[in-house]
Amino acid sequence: MSYGQIPDKTIQKYVDQKLSRGVTGAKRKLTATVNQGSVTLTGTIQFEHHRRSILRAVGSVDGVRRVIDNLKVEPKKKQW
């Protein structure tokens, strides 16, 4: 870790807080892992338009260098 770099453990804590507050309105299970300031997001979101707010919220956490988006949109249920 270089001088001034925020530890991954600290970044993880703040990213998890953002996700648990429901930054999206999408009540889905999202997982974030942090490695050297890069956050990888996985999980399923309800609607595509939730993606941008999630990425913005996570990217705004101090120490985050980049966000890797592995989110999937939940398939729409067929209506008969």
Side-chain angles (χ1 to χ4, degrees):
M1 174 169 41
S2 64
Y3 178 74
Q5 184 179 343
I6 298 172
D8 285 346
K9 194 155 105 173
T10 302
I11 296 170
Q12 182 76 56
K13 178 178 132 181
Y14 289 115
V15 166
D16 289 345
Q17 284 177 358
K18 290 268 187 183
L19 294 176
S20 71
R21 287 185 188 137
V23 294
T24 64
K27 306 295 184 203
R28 299 288 177 247
K29 176 73 173 155
L30 303 179
T31 304
T33 54
V34 182
N35 185 9
Q36 297 180 354
S38 290
V39 179
T40 301
L41 293 172
T42 56
T44 304
I45 54 177
Q46 190 171 7
F47 301 107
E48 180 63 37
H49 66 268
H50 291 148
R51 184 183 308 269
R52 187 177 303 154
S53 63
I54 294 167
L55 297 177
R56 191 178 318 125
V58 170
S60 72
V61 173
D62 284 343
V64 172
R65 293 174 177 225
R66 73 178 184 151
V67 180
I68 300 166
D69 176 6
N70 288 336
L71 299 173
K72 294 183 176 18
V73 178
E74 185 176 88
K76 293 182 180 177
K77 295 177 183 166
K78 292 183 179 180
Q79 295 181 353
W80 300 97

